[in-house]
Amino acid sequence: MVEKGRISGGQMALLLFVSTLGITVATIPYLAAKWAKQDMWLTPVPAAVSGLVAFFIAYFLHRRFPGETVIQCCPRIFGWFGKVIALVFLVTYIHANSLVIRIYADFVNGVFLRETPQVVVMGGMVLLCAAAVRGGLETVARATQFLALLTAGILGVVTLLSMPEWEMGNVLPILEHDLISVARGAAAPASWFNDFFLAAFLLPFVRKGDHAARWGVVGVVGSMLVLMLFHLIILFIVGNQSNKFLFPLFEAFRLISLSGFLEHVDAFLLAIWLFIIFVKISLMHYTIVLGAAQWLGLSDYKPLSLPIALILIAVAGWTVPNLTNLNQFFDGEFFVYNSLVQIVIPLALLAVAAIRGQKGKRGEEGGSWERDR
Amino acid sequence: MGAGPIKGGGKRALGLLLIASLLILPGCWDRKELNEIALIRAIGIDRAEDGQIEVSLLQAIPQRAEDAGGGEKTGGTQRVLTARSINIPEAKEKLQQMLGREIFTGHQEVVVFGERFARAGIGEALDYMARQPQVRLDAVVFVCDGSPKEIFTTIPLAEITASESLYKLARVEGYTEISVMRVLREVTGDGKSTVIPVVKKTGQKTLSLDGLALFRGERMVDHLDRKSKEALMWIRNEYTTGTVNARIRGEKGYVAMKVNRTKTELIPKLKGKKPRMIIRMTSENVLSYNGTGMNLYYPSNMDRIARAMESELQKRLRNTVEKVRRDRADAFGFAELFHREYPEKWARMKKDWNERLFPQMDVDIEVRVKLRWPGMTDK
């Protein structure tokens, strides 16, 4: 097998949890508020349903083909055509990751480092992620664990500090518009919750007997709850301007001031977000690198890390002209495209495999999933 | 190559890479040295007679701030620059040409609009400030009588800069809540109205507050005096102190009390299509002056004062409500309450809220005064 490392179920959940949060706190609340207005805090619920579906499709694929990623089981189901489908996954992930890198760079460039060339901002982060991925899955997981503690601490303190600014009345009236607008607002976060399908690349390496399914649910529900909390904080502080400011969470944290002696906490937000986005980019980068190695039938994926990182920087550079186009794309279109790749195609794979009664090599002798429950 | 321990040549390469990374990691493109930036503490925006936008910046000069304790070196700790142009960014660009340093607005804590600009509409300024990542949206906002330039060049004796003084004035009156962000929220909110404190120059070295400017949408429509300002803030449940004077029936002279704490309940009602608002205010007070000669040994006299104060407060609230209603600018936040209480009816009400419903609705005012303390003497 290409990947030698093993992670625990908890580490898998943490990776997926942090990476989902990372991207959904950027411009996503703004898009959710555009449709759902003061009900924006409800949008993570339908989004999480989408995430749950994506995760369980990955899980059932894993049960049918234990020890194999989706890149490996595609050709097993569809033969040479499966190879083409696997390529679709790879290309989609390269595109999706370049969008993540682009959001990150647009935020840092637009807000903090206005004069730094964008390629330097992107390059610094992507090369770091490439180095982490080169260290293997265990390295990425450990780094996430270590930094998550720190981040949770800082985030907790900042949230407490923001409490004097809260105007809880801003959520009223609840559900003034119909549920359709909430569901529509959920399209943007849902397309990132779909990334729980990335579990298809992690599950083969989860230690046996680690209750992967249970951990997956914990990951989805955890992301949903924390995202709801963030949306509420935004709503409490920024109020009816949530759908006007492109980075509402940043705007909310910028307004924190503790009776004049503690201000400018937004710098903390950047520090935290840097870490979170690091996890997101690393995880997607790992998926691409591992998938590419498996697609090409290489014995090791590590040498691919750096070259693919360079491709990512290039793609991120030309993928969209500016933030307006990026948001426009995220607000709906991306959900359709993303669901097609991460839900519809895997569902088709699963259905065909079930009808044909195909199973992975170790599927019959009782692979990891047997002891999973 | 595996991920094993790095040896020999690899180690050297890694070392070189680490050194090379020093070139980009310190963020040389965006470094900001203190002696290369112009620290802006306040911005003033006004409309000149010829219709141009006039922008004034108050630059703090930190190194001189230390030895300005004597208060004699007026103007040594700050500098005010003014330029006119077609819009704010253009005027700011002109100001940049006068400065040898880069304009840095990260510590801008005061925003002052000239009255002429406020009456013509502050939308342009709000858009500009919301769009800039370096501008802080929790800066306190003022409208000034006259031009912001005059306000900025007035340094009160005890203060180092005018912005410092403005910020302190705002803090004393509880105006620090009135930030750019709040103005943004309220002018686009349900009531589409807001209030901004007014400041004016009242002496060679004196700045003073002068009530509130009432905004309907982005335009200033009226000026509320101090008494109306107090009433408005009481209704909005924003803490403000204040002194109330009243005459007692059958007595000569005045009694005065200091309002210590108020709590106002706002109850929106909808009868058919006609909205009605009940304002129920409770205030806790301390008697600060008794010019009538009534003996406060007797509880009945305390009661008489409390009742007189109640009708006085009621009159004040009533006057303010009527005044604001005549201006068709719901700065009390009534619209929001109706929106929250009757969400399904609000869709039809919001269209002519400020034009028709708000000015014509019934407003009931109930005031309850609790006189907590007669003071140190019962005379």
Side-chain angles (χ1 to χ4, degrees), chain A residues 33-42 169-182 235 240 243, chain B residues 189-190 335-351:
Chain A
K34 272 259 180 282
W35 296 96
K37 298 280 167 0
Q38 73 272 29
D39 293 324
M40 64 187 273
W41 60 282
L42 285 170
N170 284 347
V171 296
L172 296 172
I174 291 168
L175 281 182
E176 182 188 12
H177 313 289
D178 45 7
L179 283 167
I180 306 284
S181 58
V182 174
L235 206 51
N240 65 7
N243 59 359
Chain B
D190 292 327
E336 210 154 50
L337 293 170
F338 276 100
H339 183 184
R340 285 171 189 178
E341 193 69 28
Y342 303 99
E344 61 289 341
K345 303 231 172 81
W346 174 251
R348 247 180 300 127
M349 289 164 71
K350 72 176 172 192
K351 244 186 225 152

Side-chain angles (χ1 to χ4, degrees), chain B residues 129-306:
Chain B
M129 286 188 278
R131 213 167 283 284
Q132 308 300 312
Q134 314 92 327
V135 173
R136 293 176 55 94
L137 295 180
D138 55 357
V140 294
V141 192
F142 290 96
V143 167
C144 72
D145 202 14
S147 109
K149 191 168 45 179
E150 271 174 40
I151 302 288
F152 288 167
T153 46
T154 310
I155 308 175
L157 271 181
E159 307 299 341
I160 294 167
T161 61
S163 69
E164 189 86 13
S165 149
L166 285 167
Y167 196 82
K168 283 178 179 166
L169 282 172
R171 207 163 50 192
V172 167
E173 287 290 316
Y175 287 153
T176 46
E177 293 291 305
I178 303 183
S179 60
V180 179
M181 191 59 162
R182 185 176 111 157
V183 173
L184 263 172
R185 260 201 314 257
E186 293 198 342
V187 295
T188 57
D190 292 327
K192 297 206 171 11
S193 309
T194 193
V195 284
I196 297 179
V198 176
V199 64
K200 66 178 177 186
K201 183 176 179 176
T202 44
Q204 201 58 46
K205 290 190 169 182
T206 316
L207 293 175
S208 66
L209 293 172
D210 183 25
L212 294 171
L214 181 64
F215 280 73
R216 182 172 67 230
E218 289 161 351
R219 285 162 200 267
M220 173 175 169
V221 288
D222 203 356
H223 181 189
L224 307 177
D225 61 5
R226 183 179 61 84
K227 287 189 173 177
S228 300
K229 164 223 127 186
E230 281 172 3
L232 185 126
M233 287 182 78
W234 287 331
I235 293 175
R236 286 188 58 130
N237 246 325
E238 282 160 6
Y239 179 67
T240 178
T241 54
T243 295
V244 183
N245 292 290
R247 278 179 179 283
I248 314 285
R249 196 187 298 262
E251 306 281 346
K252 276 183 189 150
Y254 282 98
V255 283
M257 73 176 185
K258 192 173 174 315
V259 178
N260 255 7
R261 186 178 301 153
T262 65
K263 189 166 166 37
T264 311
E265 231 182 312
L266 297 173
I267 306 159
K269 296 260 188 222
L270 207 58
K271 232 189 284 162
K273 277 187 175 174
K274 194 149 171 69
R276 186 168 137 242
M277 180 60 86
I278 302 169
I279 301 175
R280 205 169 276 163
M281 171 173 155
T282 319
S283 78
E284 287 185 25
N285 315 286
V286 175
L287 198 69
S288 52
Y289 168 70
N290 175 14
T292 59
M294 286 196 303
N295 192 338
L296 297 182
Y297 172 75
Y298 305 106
S300 62
N301 278 345
M302 284 290 273
D303 265 2
R304 282 171 73 197
I305 296 176

Side-chain angles (χ1 to χ4, degrees), chain A residues 54 57 89 93 191 194-195 197-198 338-344 346:
Chain A
I57 292 173
F89 278 108
Y93 285 136
S191 47
N194 278 350
D195 279 1
F197 183 72
L198 290 180
N338 203 317
S339 305
L340 195 68
V341 177
Q342 302 206 78
I343 290 182
V344 179

